[in-house]
Amino acid sequence: MKILIIDDEPFVLKVLHRQLSSLTDAEVVPCDSARAALAELAADAAQIFLIFCDLQMPEMDGIEFVRQLVAIRYDKGLVLISGEDNRTLQTAERLALAHKLQFLGAIQKPAAREQLQQMLERAASICAPAPPRAAHKKYGTEDLRQAIAAGHLENYYQPKVELATGHVVGVETLVRWRHPDDGLIFPDQFISLAEEHGLIDDLSRVVLTAALTQTRHWLDAGLDLKVAVNASMDNFNDVEFPDFIARTAEKVGVPLTNLILEITESRLMKDPLSALDIIIRLRLKRIKLSIDDFGTGHSSLTQLHDLPFDELKVDRSFVHGAWQNDAIRAIFEASLGMARQLGMKTVAEGPEDREDWDFLKKSGCDLAQGYFIAKPMPGSEMLGWISAWEARRQELV
Ligand code: C2E
Ligand code: CA
Ligand code: CA
């Protein structure tokens, strides 16, 4: 097993190397840049269970490095080391937490031996291969294929409300897998499996069909909701995708203007040109496009103006707690400003408490979607929830 330590200062690197080597049997690998660490990860990811990373580095800094870790789906331990700059540290922490990296904590330079010991203990308890819990079992491709075919995928819906009025204007569709033995399984446990094994087209078609059908039921009940569905970048390799959507919407009787496709920034930008064709065709059909998880992907700002987005969803790591954190608030406000200049609607993801809500109301953001308003729920619960929300809404706006 290996531990990577990354710092551009040779002296710091040497001291850290000596300290850690005296505390652990694992091989401690010093890297003098983030790039060198990424090369180590590319060569030997399976062996690496813990990374100590300096935040201030020339060339690629700690924040960019955390983004790269997200991109390669590193899911073991991470410890951030910082000099004096607390803001950068807070931003990097948020980023790490938002992405389910095993963020073990931050330590100040120079690192004390006890702190290093503590981080090693956390790494041992968190990152060591644990016996699979029911909720975090690894599922096989065949299981998922059968689940899709057997209709075991279920859509949940989370309301999106207008901040100015509190009115519910739409929902986001979030898929779950109702497993006969294991109960409700969340998408982070099967979406990448579907993407990697060519099941995402089938999955997305099932989700879309159910979402449009549900939207029709709501329309029939007098509720005109825009329905957002998450699209994977791989859906944009499927040339049939736009026609499939149009056909299904026509069949169930929902105008395509009621549909929003949410696309994740980081995935979107890997190969923007090949997808552009399909994206433009979706646009021509008047389907709305939303850029998801904004702020967490690779720097894609240059490409934003090439793609016709209607909506920008600021990732929750730049929303929750923004009211009390200058650095996070700055990123949030910059994202809003940019969206506005490009004529896009803005959605704040993940407000969790009253402070978040009050901050968002003042921020000029258009919509909010988060646990403070409601957790995702089955479609059948939406009407009941909306009547309960009405009472809360009066008090909140
Ligand atoms: P996402 O598109 O960013 O969806 C929002 C996630 O944040 C949802 O997690 C939602 O339950 C959660 N969330 C909402 N409000 C809050 C809040 O206030 N606090 C916190 N901590 N979390 C909040 P969920 O349902 O587990 O979905 C995870 C991801 O799976 C989604 O992230 C989306 O990227 C992906 N996903 C879900 N359904 C589909 C699908 O049908 N197709 C594809 N390709 N991806 C999907
Ligand atoms: Ca989404
Ligand atoms: Ca999101």
Side-chain angles (χ1 to χ4, degrees):
M1 298 301 274
K2 288 186 187 175
I3 298 173
L4 297 188
I5 51 176
I6 314 162
D7 201 307
D8 58 304
E9 293 167 55
F11 179 70
V12 176
L13 207 55
K14 212 162 163 181
V15 173
L16 203 54
H17 185 253
R18 194 167 327 131
Q19 283 178 308
L20 280 169
S21 300
S22 73
L23 289 167
T24 170
D25 292 334
E27 181 187 347
V28 182
V29 183
C31 305
D32 61 6
S33 71
R35 224 163 273 289
L38 288 171
E40 284 288 337
L41 278 159
D44 205 6
Q47 286 295 310
I48 296 161
F49 74 102
L50 180 56
I51 299 176
F52 288 82
C53 178
D54 184 24
L55 275 177
Q56 286 83 26
M57 292 183 291
E59 212 190 324
M60 189 190 295
D61 64 18
I63 294 190
E64 183 54 28
F65 179 66
V66 171
R67 291 205 173 110
Q68 299 285 343
L69 289 179
V70 170
I72 62 169
R73 303 197 178 164
Y74 173 78
D75 58 0
K76 305 289 175 35
L78 173 70
V79 176
L80 296 170
I81 314 172
S82 80
E84 58 297 328
D85 184 0
N86 255 328
R87 284 172 145 210
T88 321
L89 185 62
Q90 284 174 343
T91 311
E93 273 180 23
R94 283 276 169 166
L95 208 53
L97 288 171
H99 286 289
K100 305 174 186 128
L101 290 172
Q102 301 284 359
F103 179 59
L104 305 179
I107 53 184
Q108 295 278 334
K109 272 188 215 178
R113 196 183 152 82
E114 301 73 54
Q115 279 186 312
L116 295 176
Q117 176 76 47
Q118 193 185 23
M119 295 299 156
L120 286 170
E121 279 162 14
R122 281 190 200 165
S125 66
I126 296 176
C127 311
R133 284 187 292 136
H136 278 274
K137 221 160 89 176
K138 283 247 186 272
Y139 293 95
T141 320
E142 234 4 83
D143 296 334
L144 182 57
R145 192 192 308 279
Q146 280 167 22
I148 296 171
H152 291 169
L153 296 189
E154 254 174 53
N155 285 352
Y156 273 50
Y157 300 91
Q158 189 178 32
K160 290 160 87 172
V161 307
E162 202 168 59
L163 279 152
T165 62
H167 289 309
V168 183
V169 293
V171 294
E172 175 177 3
T173 309
L174 295 156
V175 67
R176 275 96 181 85
W177 174 0
R178 174 84 56 190
H179 195 283
D181 305 322
D182 300 343
L184 208 59
I185 303 172
F186 286 79
D188 55 337
Q189 275 182 275
F190 60 88
I191 291 294
S192 38
L193 183 71
E195 286 171 347
E196 280 154 27
H197 295 89
L199 296 174
I200 196 71
D201 285 341
D202 287 345
L203 182 147
S204 298
R205 286 174 183 228
V206 166
V207 171
L208 254 159
T209 306
L212 288 168
T213 308
Q214 177 63 69
T215 307
R216 183 64 249 174
H217 292 329
W218 284 325
L219 282 170
D220 293 340
L223 205 55
D224 190 356
L225 296 175
K226 298 248 182 297
V227 67
V229 174
N230 289 286
S232 159
M233 208 45 226
D234 301 303
N235 293 131
F236 300 112
N237 296 326
D238 173 9
V239 289
E240 298 286 311
F241 194 53
D243 287 335
F244 170 81
I245 299 177
R247 245 185 295 124
T248 311
E250 161 110 74
K251 202 158 42 180
V252 299
V254 172
L256 282 176
T257 45
N258 272 48
L259 179 65
I260 303 173
L261 289 182
E262 296 190 4
I263 308 168
T264 304
E265 185 194 12
S266 55
R267 275 197 217 129
L268 176 71
M269 298 309 166
K270 264 184 204 152
D271 194 1
L273 274 185
S274 73
L276 197 58
D277 182 47
I278 290 176
I279 290 179
I280 302 281
R281 282 173 53 217
L282 292 166
R283 251 324 268 271
L284 291 174
K285 294 188 190 295
R286 303 268 183 276
I287 296 168
K288 296 199 172 52
L289 300 173
S290 171
I291 186 161
D292 205 354
D293 302 337
F294 191 78
T296 62
H298 303 288
S299 178
S300 54
L301 302 186
T302 48
Q303 270 141 336
L304 250 189
H305 65 267
D306 295 336
L307 293 170
F309 283 103
D310 304 274
E311 179 185 272
L312 181 146
K313 298 185 83 171
V314 185
D315 189 74
R316 66 167 179 270
S317 49
F318 305 108
V319 171
H320 176 51
W323 60 276
Q324 59 172 351
N325 182 311
D326 296 344
I328 289 174
R329 189 167 60 245
I331 296 174
F332 177 76
E333 283 166 355
S335 306
L336 287 196
M338 200 193 53
R340 241 179 259 126
Q341 279 189 359
L342 293 167
M344 297 157 82
K345 281 240 176 251
T346 47
V347 184
E349 298 191 302
E352 291 191 1
D353 48 39
R354 181 67 194 251
E355 284 87 353
D356 290 341
W357 172 270
D358 289 340
F359 164 76
L360 290 176
K361 260 194 79 63
K362 279 183 272 167
S363 73
C365 183
D366 297 308
L367 307 178
Q369 174 191 345
Y371 291 171
F372 178 69
I373 301 153
K375 294 206 166 163
M377 64 189 93
S380 57
E381 289 173 15
M382 190 59 68
L383 278 165
W385 176 82
I386 289 181
S387 21
W389 168 252
E390 193 47 36
R392 253 183 100 202
R393 184 182 79 79
Q394 312 276 356
E395 190 250 325
L396 285 170
V397 297

